[in-house]
Amino acid sequence: MIQQHLTLLPVVFPLIMGALILLPPITNSLVRQRNVTLLTSLVLIALSIWMVQIASSGSIQLYYLGDWKPPFGILFVADRTSALMVLLSSILTLGALLYATGGDDKTGMFFYPLFLFQIAGINGAFLTGDLFNLFVFFEVLLIASYSLLIHGGGKQRTQAAMHYVILNLVGSAFFLFALGILYGTLGTLNMADMAARIHQLQPDEQALVKAGGLLLLVVFGLKSALLPLQFWLPRTYSAASAPVAALFAIMTKVGIYSILRVHTLVFGPEAGDLANLIQPWLWPMSLLTLAIGAIGALASPSLRMLASNLVIISVGTLLLAAAIATPQATAAALYYLVHSTLIAAALFLLADVIGEQRGKPGDRFVSARRVQQPVLLGTAFFVSALSLAGMPPFSGFVGKLMLLQASSLPSIASWVWPTLLISSLAVIIALARAGTSLFWRVSGENSATETPPLFKLSGVWLLLLCSPLMVIFAGSITEYTRLAAEQLFNIQPTIDLILQQGAK
Amino acid sequence: MNWIELILSFFVLLGGLFMLIGSIGLARLPDFYMRLHAPTKATTLGVGSLLIASMLFFSIKNSMFSIHEILITIFLFITAPVSAHMMAKAALHVDTDTLERTQGVEAHKAATAGGNPPAKADLVNKQKGSEN
Amino acid sequence: MEALFAFSIGLLTAAGVFLSLRGRSFPVVVGITLLSYAVNLFLFSSGRLTINGAAVLGTSEVYADPVPQALVLTAIVIGFAMTAFVLILAMRSRADLGNDHVDGRLAVEPEEKKK
Amino acid sequence: MGLLWIPLLPMLGTLMPLLASRFSRNSIAIFTALLPAIALILLFKQAPAVFSGEVLAVSFEWIPLAGLDVAFRLDGLAWLFALLILGIGQLIILYARYYLSEQDNMPLFYSYLLLFMTAMLGIVLSGNLIQLWFFWELTSISSFLLIGFWSHKSEARKGARMALTVTGAGGLALLAGLLLVGQVVGSYDLSTVLASGDLIREHAAYPVILVLVLLGAFTKSAQFPFHFWLPHAMSAPTPVSAYLHSATMVKAGIFLMARMYPVLSGTELWFLIVSMTGLATLLIGAYVALFKHDLKGLLAYSTISHLGLITLLLGMNTQLSTVAAIFHIINHAAFKASLFMAAGIIDHETGTRDMRQINGLWKYMPHTATLAMVAAASMAGVPLLNGFLSKEMFFAETLQQVTLGSLSWMVPVFATLGTVFSVAYSARFIHDVFFNGEPVDLPKTPHEPPRFMRIPVEVLIALCLLIGIFPTFVVGPLLAVASTAALGGDLPNYSLAIWHGFNIPLLMSFLAMVGGLIIYYNRKHLFRFQAQFPEADAKLIFEWMMQQLVKGCTSIMQKLENGSLQRYIYLLIFLAMILMAGPMIDLNATEGHKSQLPIDNLSLIAAIILAVATLATVLFNRKRLVSIISLSVVGLIVSLAFARFSAPDLALTQLSVEVVTMILMLLALFFLPQNTPKESHPRRLVRDLSLAGIIGGVIGTINYAMITRPLDSISWFFLENSKSGGGGTNVVNVILVDFRGLDTLGEISVLGIAALGIFKLIVRMRLYMPSSDSTGRPWAVGRHPMMLSVVSQSLLPLALLVSAYIFLRGHNMPGGGFIAGLITSVAIIQQYIAHGVDWIKDRLRINYQWLVASGILVAALTGVGSWFFNRPFLTTWYDYFNLPIIGEFELASAMLFDLGVYLTVIGATLMILANLGKLTTNQSPAMKENN
Amino acid sequence: MDAKPRFRLVPMPVQSALLFVVWLLMNNTLAVGHIFLAATLAFTIPLLVNGLQNPQPTVRKPLLALRYFLLVLMDIVIANMQVAVLILGPLKKMQPGFVAVPLDINQNLPITLLASTVSLTPGTVSCDVSEDKRWLYIHALNLVDEQALIHSIKTRYEAPLKEIFGC
Amino acid sequence: MLKTALLLVNVMIAIALLLSLWRLIQGPSLADRILALDTLYINSIALIILLGMYMGSPLYFEAALLIALLGFVSTAALCKYLLRGDIIE
Ligand code: NA
Ligand code: NA
């Protein structure tokens, strides 16, 4: 029975567990909440590994909500890409949760249920094949993220939340405008059906659909922090409490995933007159995003801020791949996406530990007392820094390498390569500065306060461990992402599968 | 059939008329307390008439007794006075301007003072004064 | 009628956007509320305008498109939740930061006293 | 397989010192040396095959998609370098054992050192270009760690950062270059690439490839103008300098040029770039070295100069010059490593490296002095020492080249000039340190170092002598096989004899020797001359540049990211409008062909009211309460519009949401300023108004264009199947609870989560609670107007009845769980308004949190229920039943789902509103201590 | 008043009856199923909301109450006519004024009913009730004779109410 | 005839709505605006009933009922706001 509903479980299971945690007897004790949530997250990992395993055979799992066939009912689609994204979110969740057990869960209410709800929303966004349902899951993950952002309280969080929430409200408004336009012209909500119907439009209707598709770019661009919509990110991410910031590392990726999904399936290379609708825009914007991320990284006064700007750089990189819009680039992007999400999350967590151990200066790049666990934290920082800078031997270089290879056409390379490489250099400089300031520029010894509990750091290590593992198994992982990207671009079989099933 | 339509039309027009009069009063009367009278009264009858019309209309149309519109009337009759009361109270509190020739200054003052009982003497004087 | 409808949506959008560009939290929230009216009407009208055709079976011959209606219903509820959140957040922001600016200022209003 | 173990053993070796860290210092050193020693033995075991001209290779697939294999390849060139790396590595391990003090973290140092060794071996043994780059970057990283090993020193930190920045940048260029090579050749396999020289040289991308690869090589090998990082890397412990900055890492760039020699060299471009860079480096390094007072500084510039020399040789495009380059690589490694070690001993024993303090050490440490002097003599090119031989070959080659045409004479002249300075600084090293009177203010009294610390130096000096005297015997075969590999083919004829007779190179050597000594003798004038120029400290400049970079970036970010939400929203909308421009232009006719509805007067009036109320909301936006009232009018008209256009469910929903929103706004407004001060600049108003106007126009136009065109949608399916498939006649409701039930589940989750989030916001909120209204009037005294209380409580049962009515009919008629829930909530909120929190709290004991949770749970579990009938989530079930007396009625799982919606709505709404209300009371919500 | 009410199976019989009727009204039906449903709701809703009710005096004389109801209904119709004329007529003639009406009844429900009646009927709106519940402040649209107005309110409405609730 | 009456009333209510709106905009006091809003609610009830009759559809009754119920709540809340600022205390 479980396998039959496997596609659905990453969404409904955390939702139900989140609700259960709000009820007695679990809600009465934080320890119980912790245990139940950790257990949930372990189950989620198991489920998503299973999903990936099934997806890796190349079969696309369809799940008809309410037993209504597409294009009428809501449809969940688990192909290689979405299964991978779900696995990513599950691993990330476990890392962030382990860290949260170290005390961040106590600084405000409802931490665990909100966390699970957000996961439900994120997974829903990854799995759904219905555009309006995507909107709903966006809202689920957003409202949960608003609530998590303010977790722990404090001026900075409130102010950051104010910006983040209002911008996203405007973004949601655009999403609905876009949905209105698309339904009002295509007459359907299922994305595969949209892709099928897009060929039957009159010229003027095409113009309208174009408007809808471009509005969607704005919406997804806002979520993914595409320039000029990236301004909210550094403040927001660096204000959030560490496990929340770690979880947020995947939020931008939801936007990118949506671009990859929607703008490949509906407005992709096979959309006739509307083919590759967003690519002309994506080119300059992603390059500029990379540039602004690099500038921000160099300007960052603290590790959290730096990590936030690294997220922007990863966004720029990924959207660059989306702009190239070839299976090869997308394969690279998917690998890079997984890597950058996990490591950025680890860096947010690490920044928090480092900040705690350095006393008042926190994670700012100024002289402070020595951290208590210089070797442990230093190594962790080193691993994450090298990964994010795209330096061997950790995971970043594989993604960067593949992306460079994917963009090697002279016309593209002359733009992409310098931007990518120079931003890499900026990251190296920024991270070298960060590392030397945080670990080497010490004044005085650490007055021995209690060392963080084992569990807390295990979250960091879990995430960091993924980096070498992703290098060692890079062969099979990249093979998976290659096939995933091909599946993503080879839309006709998907459309046929979905709509034929519906016709039955 | 025609007389039914006549009755219907009558109630519809009556309702509309009172609705209009209420709003005219709202727009036209010179101070808040006077305006307060217009809609709260006229609308009860206005809506009432329309509801009667509606009841008749649907009862005949569907050849079935349809009187659930009465419910709206009940609600309105219960709530309209309280709304008026609350609005008056609020107006008194914020000391909304009254027409200059408004009588009963003492009562007004007393009410404005947060609904405290008026000084006995004042009212006694007042009553005397009015007797004169 | 369609032109009137579209005009109204345009006006609501413009008003909403204008208010959401103000510098204080409350007008911004009001602006977003206006914008969400526009959005809901827009989404609603994607099923076209129909008079006297509520999608309740057996009540008329031609039915309005029920799908956008269902979508708008969801959107209204979500919009309500979001408005509520941002409103209370504005309150919290005032409490935490001492003012209701949204442009990153941190000055405390002198005339307000804390309780 | 032995080949694979050569890099693998040092890699495993990185763990050894860490594992042995509990044992004595000797044990740690031995453990460290163990695995590299085995690797060295393995290397020698491969020697016969390599020397017979075989190319050994081993490879596995790793990341096929990126063309990255694990591929090792051992030919003569690689063998030579591996020998240097492993051999000198052993000596360095021994040396470091004595060099490092008790305070230093020796295991960590050794671990870093072996990591570096692994990386170097990886470079030289790579059989795949990407893998080569992989290890290339690894050397940058490990050298960063080694240079910064004494991290408490600011020098070390900055030096490490500088080295990383420069070599890191070069590494990135190299990557690009190698990728291009792979692109051109179609493979990253080294053997394949080496066989494709012509293909590459003739390709249009050749200049780009060349420049990129050379950027990598030059930065690594400290070639002008990237040489500045090397002297600052001298803040590393001396073993590091001896290893990285003489024998290995800086040679990686040279190795790369030698490795790629068969495919990149032979063009004029190669000659121009490589030899000219080499020449410049040679001269500058040699000149500057003379003026360095720091012992290691002198050696560092000398290294730069010699690297320049090798580069120059490689650039000359002749086979012989390449052989000379390889030869000098060997020789330089030997004498420079020993010199660094000697310098380290001196530093170690005297406590300083300043040659102005260090004098006359001959007296104190004659043994070391002898060794150092031999090495320095070799560096100067004194006959019978190895340095002399390769220098002679160098001079000979400079005379051969003609590419510069009529200016070709400059090469030998400048080469000689460089050597003059080389002799001068060597002389200075010898004279200034070991003679030149007595030491000045030394922190320690110097004496000979421990016995074993000298051994590495002795080994290397012995090598210098042996090569110098018996070149053919000692180094001949190795040079031959390495040169063959570097040239990628046949070896030219050359002689390794010490004596070639009187010829021009010998004359040049003689001139250099004499000139060098003359310059050293007259150094005072030269020093004075040099002192006129302000010393440009590369580190200061670099740091300044970095600071400017950071400052520049910071100011850019501050300008762009000014924390103003208005700007961000503006950008968001602006971007949307820019994107809309294209589609708007594409849209030929705004009006479509669908027949339109006529305008009736009521709709017109409603539209007018909507417009006026909207404008009022905007115009009165500074009087906030009025703004709220106008806003409710807008909401009311929107509801009426829904009713008018056949959407009764929407009308009901909008109405109920409207009221709750208004109450919420009032609750919030109490804690906010009542009015907005006027602060927008007129220009800003114009700007905002134009943007708002444009977006309004665009959205309106799109809407008009859309709704005046016919639509072919999927809605027929729902109308057809609502009754038969979903069991309800209200199609909208059936869509909500059945066809698209998941949306609804998501929607109530959003509501529930919002309630939780709002509760989080409310908890522990510090309040500004006004004691009077905005005009300064104190609040009314009576809290709960009596009439309101009485009427509200009588309305409650009625309101509940109405909500039950709305709930039950939802499936077939307008209504449903959501609206019913809101009505119930409003009725309860009305009780709060009328009676106050204290009154309610004793009478209504509902935990709103549980209500929210159970609502979501009921809805979700209803969905799960269908699993037991082997149906997907949220598959609904309904049936008609017949009971006596009561008659036929319908039961549907959708009602249970709707119940979940109902409960969530009540829970969420009350959790928000009631708790917000409680803020001002002594029931204010507090965070539960729940652990 | 704050004493916790003792549990009763049918705590609010009058409301229960009202709910029963209203349900059938709303559904426009007398079907058995609905009667059953109405009974269920009329039984459960009072149980649910009983806690949220302040005790109120009960109607002692139902017949009198009905009479009062009809009287008010008639007055409303008349009031509306009068007010309509006033509103449409010349404004200058109007003599608005505030009046304080001394109260004899002192319980919440009767006072509320009186105030509501006053508001619904000729040209008067009840504005406020004094804190000690001894005065009802009224605004009259056209105050010709204050004492007559007070008198008419007290006799026409207050007295019957006092009798109905027996206080 | 009924059609004519309905049309006529249509116009009347339209005017009523406009007049109420005018008062809402005009004020001058907050109480006036609240009163105008309350009147608009009542007018809307009439409008909806009229619409129901005009279309011959009973689907709009609940909307009218709801306005009656909710209009009261919002008026009461607004007045409470003027009186106490704090509407739930
Ligand atoms: Na000296
Ligand atoms: Na309150």
Side-chain angles (χ1 to χ4, degrees), chain D residues 209-228:
Chain D
I209 292 175
L210 184 63
V211 168
L212 288 172
V213 171
L214 288 180
L215 272 175
F218 288 172
T219 47
K220 204 74 158 185
S221 287
Q223 295 298 297
F224 176 82
F226 309 111
H227 63 285
F228 56 89

Side-chain angles (χ1 to χ4, degrees), chain E residues 67-129:
Chain E
R67 208 193 80 113
Y68 180 80
F69 176 71
L70 292 173
L71 172 82
V72 171
L73 212 59
M74 200 182 74
D75 286 355
I76 287 175
V77 174
I78 295 165
N80 275 306
M81 305 292 176
Q82 287 174 343
V83 171
V85 171
L86 276 174
I87 287 173
L88 296 173
L91 297 178
K92 293 219 169 110
K93 271 196 193 168
M94 266 190 257
Q95 292 292 321
F98 287 93
V99 180
V101 180
L103 292 178
D104 290 330
I105 48 178
N106 57 3
Q107 278 171 301
N108 287 349
L109 184 60
I111 293 179
T112 303
L113 284 177
L114 178 64
S116 297
T117 311
V118 166
S119 291
L120 287 168
T121 51
T124 46
V125 167
S126 52
C127 299
D128 209 349
V129 179

Side-chain angles (χ1 to χ4, degrees), chain C residues 1-2 14 21-22 24 37 45 48 50 52-53 55 57 65 69 77 84 91-92 94-95 98 100 102-103, chain D residues 563 565 597 599-600 624 646 658 671 677 679-680 688 703 706-707 709 713 715 729 731 761 763 766 768 818:
Chain C
M1 186 74 97
E2 275 78 359
L21 289 168
R22 299 302 91 209
R24 305 287 189 128
Y37 289 139
S45 69
R48 310 300 185 259
T50 312
N52 203 8
L57 298 178
D65 192 337
Q69 295 192 16
V77 179
M91 225 173 111
R92 174 86 200 210
R94 168 92 190 291
D100 64 340
V102 293
D103 53 3
Chain D
L565 177 66
L597 299 173
I599 297 182
D600 57 304
R624 297 182 173 182
S646 314
E658 203 48 50
F671 303 106
E679 46 192 10
S680 289
D688 291 354
N703 187 254
M706 177 175 81
I707 61 180
R709 287 178 164 77
S713 83
S715 59
T729 52
V731 187
L761 281 171
V763 165
R766 296 176 313 129
Y768 296 81
F818 184 78

Side-chain angles (χ1 to χ4, degrees), chain D residues 193-506:
Chain D
V193 169
L194 289 181
S196 318
D198 292 335
L199 183 66
I200 294 174
R201 276 186 292 265
E202 280 153 27
H203 197 275
Y206 170 74
V208 183
I209 292 175
L210 184 63
V211 168
L212 288 172
V213 171
L214 288 180
L215 272 175
F218 288 172
T219 47
K220 204 74 158 185
S221 287
Q223 295 298 297
F224 176 82
F226 309 111
H227 63 285
F228 56 89
W229 66 267
L230 184 60
H232 293 283
M234 291 302 133
S235 43
T238 300
V240 175
S241 311
Y243 194 38
L244 274 63
H245 305 135
S246 64
T248 54
M249 186 170 89
V250 291
K251 297 275 171 61
I254 305 290
F255 170 80
L256 182 70
M257 285 188 273
R259 181 85 286 175
M260 300 302 281
Y261 191 83
V263 289
L264 294 181
S265 72
T267 62
E268 235 172 83
L269 194 62
W270 167 273
F271 169 80
L272 281 174
I273 299 178
V274 179
S275 64
M276 288 305 114
T277 307
L279 187 58
T281 313
L282 163 68
L283 285 171
I284 289 172
Y287 179 76
V288 176
L290 182 59
F291 301 99
K292 288 289 149 187
H293 299 303
D294 176 13
L295 209 50
K296 279 175 80 177
L298 183 149
L299 292 178
Y301 276 99
S302 141
T303 302
I304 291 172
S305 162
H306 280 273
L307 292 169
L309 188 153
I310 300 171
T311 305
L312 172 57
L313 279 169
L314 285 172
M316 287 198 286
N317 271 342
T318 65
Q319 292 183 323
L320 272 175
S321 65
T322 308
V323 175
I326 304 284
F327 193 22
H328 199 68
I329 288 169
I330 303 171
N331 295 332
H332 179 254
F335 67 68
K336 194 51 67 65
S338 54
L339 276 171
F340 267 115
M341 287 195 234
I345 289 172
I346 293 166
D347 179 14
H348 203 255
E349 296 304 324
T350 60
T352 179
R353 298 190 323 221
D354 191 330
M355 281 187 281
R356 285 165 299 190
Q357 287 175 274
I358 305 169
N359 293 315
L361 288 191
W362 173 258
K363 260 192 283 182
Y364 299 91
M365 35 170 66
H367 195 133
T368 308
T370 313
L371 294 173
M373 287 188 313
V374 174
S378 176
M379 173 161 77
V382 173
L384 290 184
L385 291 167
N386 58 353
F388 170 73
L389 295 174
S390 45
K391 200 178 65 185
E392 290 292 285
M393 287 170 89
F394 163 60
F395 283 152
E397 281 312 308
T398 57
L399 295 168
Q400 297 303 316
Q401 71 78 31
V402 288
T403 320
L404 283 185
S406 60
L407 289 177
S408 295
W409 57 267
M410 281 171 58
V411 180
V413 170
F414 283 124
T416 314
L417 187 63
T419 314
V420 167
F421 281 100
S422 172
V423 170
Y425 64 68
S426 301
R428 182 178 179 208
F429 182 82
I430 293 170
H431 180 257
D432 213 347
V433 172
F434 300 109
F435 307 102
N436 199 24
E438 279 301 305
V440 185
D441 294 336
L442 284 187
K444 289 190 211 169
T445 311
H447 48 72
E448 287 286 353
R451 174 87 198 84
F452 283 101
M453 196 170 178
R454 260 188 350 237
I455 286 185
V457 191
E458 287 163 359
V459 170
L460 289 170
I461 297 300
L463 217 56
C464 290
L465 285 163
L466 284 173
I467 296 173
I469 300 166
F470 312 107
T472 319
F473 176 70
V474 177
V475 84
L478 179 58
L479 182 59
V481 73
S483 303
T484 313
L487 289 167
D490 297 325
L491 208 56
N493 282 322
Y494 61 89
S495 153
L496 281 181
I498 304 168
W499 181 250
H500 290 101
F502 290 104
N503 52 11
I504 303 181
L506 189 66

Side-chain angles (χ1 to χ4, degrees), chain A residues 425 428-429 432, chain D residues 160-170 542 546:
Chain A
L425 182 62
I428 292 172
I429 294 172
Chain D
R161 244 155 58 186
M162 197 194 291
L164 181 68
T165 307
V166 177
T167 58
F542 181 82
M546 285 295 135

Side-chain angles (χ1 to χ4, degrees), chain D residues 667 837 916-921, chain F residues 86-89:
Chain D
L667 281 168
V837 173
L916 203 52
K918 285 178 190 169
L919 263 181
T920 53
T921 70
Chain F
D86 190 8
I87 63 175
I88 298 178
E89 52 189 344

